[in-house]
Amino acid sequence: MSKIKIIIVDDHLLFSQSLSYLVGSFENFEVAGIYNNGKEFITAVKGGIKLPDIVLLDVNMPIMDGIETMKWIKQNHPDQKVIALSVNNDEDTVMRMITNGAKGYLLKDTDPKNFKEALEEVYSRGFYYSEMVSGYLINKLNIDNKIVLKEREIEFIKLACTEKTYKEIADGMCLSPKTIDGYRENLFQKLEIKTRIGLVLYAIKHKIVCI
């Protein structure tokens, strides 16, 4: 049986070496490479290295940090399994890593037994959420469910789900194009979406419009 390949991306040499020894002590796991930052790792990937089963990715690194690296991985290798590592349990940082595709988030003082469990879970099930991460996910879900839309915002969303241009929507709502631009940008920020398509999908999901 071939061993599960791990790549470590971390700028602290002592930590990455210690982590490498720990991973190597686990049955069926081995470290296939160590990189000092996201840019170095991405350069190696572009150069043709074989992607591992799991990437252990430090969040806070110079040159290219974990968040930017995670975004690149999500865009270019969306099936790659990544576990974020950090000394920081800030909710915003955790959620940015998870929403950008990380399959787990571990603090660097995690017990080795839990660390091994996380590796096994991510490899076999595709994710590992500690109590901390699960709590943050539930909190985000609750916040999302509490989003309150104003009547004019709902009217704008319904019109945005048609084939009307933004100028035509402005005319229909008796508003200036600049005001409509403001509605659009505010909704994009409030709903955490980036495109009109995202707005349409949100409207369908929340039954603002029916198809």
Side-chain angles (χ1 to χ4, degrees):
M1 177 180 177
S2 60
K3 291 192 174 185
I4 299 167
K5 302 295 191 298
I6 307 291
I7 277 181
I8 299 169
V9 185
D10 194 296
D11 64 307
H12 293 101
L13 182 60
L14 185 60
F15 176 80
S16 59
Q17 290 289 352
S18 299
L19 188 61
S20 177
Y21 293 139
L22 178 62
V23 171
S25 72
F26 298 152
E27 187 179 2
N28 298 326
F29 286 91
E30 68 178 9
V31 173
I34 299 176
Y35 299 91
N36 293 321
N37 55 67
K39 184 176 181 181
E40 189 176 297
F41 169 67
I42 289 172
T43 298
V45 173
K46 289 180 177 179
I49 67 160
K50 184 178 180 180
L51 286 169
D53 297 296
I54 301 172
V55 173
L56 297 175
L57 180 62
D58 185 18
V59 175
N60 301 301
M61 296 179 290
I63 303 177
M64 189 173 193
D65 65 18
I67 293 173
E68 291 305 311
T69 306
M70 196 65 246
K71 289 178 180 177
W72 184 88
I73 293 172
K74 182 180 181 180
Q75 183 176 359
N76 294 277
H77 299 279
D79 295 329
Q80 176 63 55
K81 296 173 182 175
V82 178
I83 298 176
L85 300 175
S86 180
V87 296
N88 182 9
N89 64 351
D90 173 69
E91 182 173 354
D92 180 63
T93 302
V94 174
M95 291 311 304
R96 288 178 72 184
M97 290 300 291
I98 295 298
T99 55
N100 278 302
K103 305 304 181 185
Y105 191 106
L106 298 175
L107 296 178
K108 288 188 174 182
D109 62 356
T110 296
D111 181 271
K113 182 179 178 182
N114 292 337
F115 175 62
K116 183 173 184 288
E117 180 185 355
L119 289 177
E120 292 171 340
E121 289 289 302
V122 168
Y123 179 74
S124 62
R125 295 176 58 194
F127 67 92
Y128 174 84
Y129 294 152
S130 63
E131 288 186 13
M132 174 188 71
V133 174
S134 296
Y136 289 162
L137 288 169
I138 291 171
N139 184 51
K140 185 178 188 302
L141 180 62
N142 289 337
I143 291 173
D144 288 346
N145 288 338
K146 290 177 183 176
I147 291 175
V148 177
L149 296 173
K150 298 175 182 177
E151 186 177 336
R152 290 290 265 174
E153 288 177 327
I154 293 174
E155 182 182 355
F156 170 78
I157 291 174
K158 287 179 177 178
L159 289 170
C161 292
T162 68
E163 294 183 356
K164 292 180 182 292
T165 65
Y166 285 123
K167 185 179 184 306
E168 290 172 335
I169 292 173
D171 292 340
M173 294 180 68
C174 299
L175 297 171
S176 69
K178 186 175 181 180
T179 301
I180 287 299
D181 287 343
Y183 270 102
R184 181 186 67 232
E185 295 307 316
N186 287 337
L187 281 168
F188 280 4
Q189 184 174 5
K190 180 186 287 190
L191 305 178
E192 296 185 354
I193 55 178
K194 296 180 180 180
T195 65
R196 187 168 179 173
I197 293 174
L199 194 62
V200 172
L201 292 175
Y202 178 90
I204 295 171
K205 178 180 178 181
H206 294 274
K207 296 180 171 57
I208 295 173
V209 298
C210 297
I211 57 172

